[in-house]
Amino acid sequence: QLLSSIEVQYPPTMARLVLCSLINRQRPALPKRCFFQSEFARNNSIPYCFSSFSSTPSSGEPPAPKNNGASSLSSEDPPKIKNYDNPLSTMIKSEQLDAATRAMGQVIFLNSRDSGRVIFVSLALGDPTLAACAALGSFTATSTSKFIGLDEKARKDGLLGYNGALVGCAASVFGPSYLPYMVASTLLGAAATPVLSASLKSALSQPQWTWSFNIVALTSLLRTRPLLESADGEVVSTSSGLGDLALSPLIGISQIFVVNSPLTGAGIVAAIYNYSPKLAVHALGGSAIGCLAGVLSGADISDVCIGLWGYNSALASMAVGTFFVHSRHTMVLSASSAAASAALFGAMQPLFGAYGVPCLTLPFCSVASACYLLEGHIPGLKLATEPHSPEKNA
């Protein structure tokens, strides 16, 4: 009836539009999604209303464009910005760099990233080129061990990288002075050390010390014979006084990394003290005993003053302090190992010098291996279950 009454006043098509409008007025107000124009409305300029449920409130304003995913973002979904990391920042934060830094400290039995950093800075103060080669060797050896799939825990603790750091030090001092050759020697030598360490692990029933470094470095040095070249050059006489002799224990510690600098030695001692004060006593005491043994044996005083008689003794004394439970017997063994290392250095130095090469850390490796085997033979000597430092060994 309503449609019939409307059709009287309007044409049939218009009547249906009016009827729809009336029906919509009787319903609860619903939000408008949008306005469309039907084919009829476009032809006749009449708006055609299309109501539906929507989350957008009704208003007289035109609706916002429809979200098509990537073309726009709603307020509820914040834009996701892809984070492009700086490659240098990624490398600095990488696990590899952490292990390589620890390896710098593991040269002197310090399983500490902070100690490794202090040692690197100390080396840079004494010889920047050597410090760079040491860091390169440490990183190369650590990366090689990861690439070939060696023991992950040993790699993370720096145990597969410290020989590479020493190879870099030796390449800087005894290798070619031409920088590209120096870098190449460091890369090749350091990459070989973790392979040798893995082999020695199966062959030895004790720590590997620095055997890998000695094997790699002497293989190259026996060919180049750097000490013969320096002997053929002009001999420079140096006078050594009591002050130089007093600094020889510090220089002896710096000579572990083939650096002749009391400042570097002091920095290394600081790194050791920060890790373990008692281990710092072992290091300084061992180096002092080695230098004293050199003086008493009638060695060239200039060799004593530049620390050549101290570094093997310092390493041997620290090895005893690191791997044995701290006791009175351990302290006696530490001092004895320092004296034995100095005596062995005095015997090896002329022998290797005849071939134009240094004996490196062979005296330390020999004495430390002998001391490690004394457990069970001397009452009071006990190896630590988990070697760390005199304070923590049990």
Side-chain angles (χ1 to χ4, degrees):
Q1 295 176 356
L2 180 60
L3 180 60
S4 301
S5 61
I6 292 173
E7 287 179 347
V8 175
Q9 302 178 18
Y10 299 98
T13 303
M14 181 60 74
R16 286 183 173 82
L17 291 173
V18 174
L19 178 61
C20 289
S21 178
L22 291 174
I23 292 172
N24 286 335
R25 287 180 182 176
Q26 294 176 1
R27 294 178 181 176
L30 297 174
K32 309 287 184 180
R33 172 179 289 179
C34 54
F35 291 92
F36 298 91
Q37 286 186 333
S38 65
E39 186 68 22
F40 172 82
R42 282 196 296 270
N43 295 334
N44 298 277
S45 300
I46 300 175
Y48 180 68
C49 177
F50 212 134
S51 300
S52 65
F53 290 98
S54 172
S55 59
T56 306
S58 175
S59 65
E61 299 179 359
K66 186 177 179 181
N67 184 2
N68 292 324
S71 60
S72 61
L73 295 168
S74 66
S75 60
E76 296 179 357
D77 299 320
K80 297 180 179 179
I81 302 174
K82 190 173 182 179
N83 184 20
Y84 293 96
D85 292 331
N86 186 346
L88 180 61
S89 175
T90 302
M91 187 195 75
I92 291 175
K93 298 178 182 178
S94 69
E95 174 188 287
Q96 289 299 99
L97 191 61
D98 179 85
T101 307
R102 288 180 184 274
M104 296 287 288
Q106 285 286 14
V107 173
I108 49 177
F109 311 105
L110 309 182
N111 185 8
S112 169
R113 181 176 50 192
D114 294 335
S115 296
R117 290 170 179 168
V118 174
I119 291 172
F120 173 76
V121 173
S122 301
L123 296 181
L125 292 175
D127 189 337
T129 303
L130 181 141
C133 288
L136 177 62
S138 177
F139 190 82
T140 300
T142 303
S143 301
T144 302
S145 64
K146 181 178 182 179
F147 179 75
I148 62 180
L150 295 179
D151 185 21
E152 183 179 2
K153 185 179 185 304
R155 175 178 58 81
K156 290 182 177 179
D157 288 341
L159 295 176
L160 296 176
Y162 69 90
N163 283 291
L166 287 175
V167 167
C169 294
S172 173
V173 175
F174 303 113
S177 57
Y178 185 50
L179 185 60
Y181 289 163
M182 186 189 303
V183 172
S185 300
T186 300
L187 291 174
L188 293 175
T193 56
V195 181
L196 281 171
S197 297
S199 301
L200 291 172
K201 182 179 180 181
S202 302
L204 300 177
S205 59
Q206 57 180 271
Q208 301 163 39
W209 314 120
T210 55
W211 287 114
S212 298
F213 156 64
N214 286 291
I215 294 172
V216 171
L218 287 174
T219 300
S220 174
L221 295 179
L222 282 170
R223 182 183 61 82
T224 59
R225 299 187 176 187
L227 298 186
L228 288 182
E229 295 179 1
S230 62
D232 294 337
E234 183 181 355
V235 178
V236 180
S237 60
T238 57
S239 59
S240 302
L242 290 178
D244 298 322
L245 194 59
L247 291 175
S248 60
L250 281 179
I251 301 176
I253 292 176
S254 72
Q255 285 286 6
I256 295 173
F257 295 88
V258 207
V259 178
N260 180 11
S261 169
L263 183 60
T264 297
I268 294 173
V269 171
I272 301 171
Y273 185 86
N274 182 63
Y275 183 82
S276 167
K278 290 182 179 179
L279 197 60
V281 174
H282 280 274
L284 268 176
S287 182
I289 290 174
C291 293
L292 180 62
V295 173
L296 295 178
S297 63
D300 188 347
I301 194 65
S302 62
D303 289 345
V304 176
C305 290
I306 62 175
L308 295 183
W309 283 79
Y311 71 93
N312 279 290
S313 299
L315 283 172
S317 184
M318 291 182 69
V320 172
T322 300
F323 288 92
F324 283 89
V325 176
H326 183 69
S327 66
R328 179 175 57 86
H329 298 82
T330 302
M331 295 299 295
V332 174
L333 181 62
S334 175
S336 301
S337 66
S341 296
L344 193 55
F345 172 80
M348 285 186 173
Q349 183 190 31
L351 178 62
F352 280 81
Y355 292 94
V357 296
C359 62
L360 301 178
T361 58
L362 285 176
F364 150 66
C365 290
S366 303
V367 172
S369 298
C371 291
Y372 193 86
L373 297 174
L374 287 176
E375 187 197 27
H377 298 281
I378 298 179
L381 285 180
K382 180 182 178 182
L383 288 172
T385 305
E386 296 182 359
H388 183 275
S389 62
E391 289 86 351
K392 295 187 178 181
N393 286 349

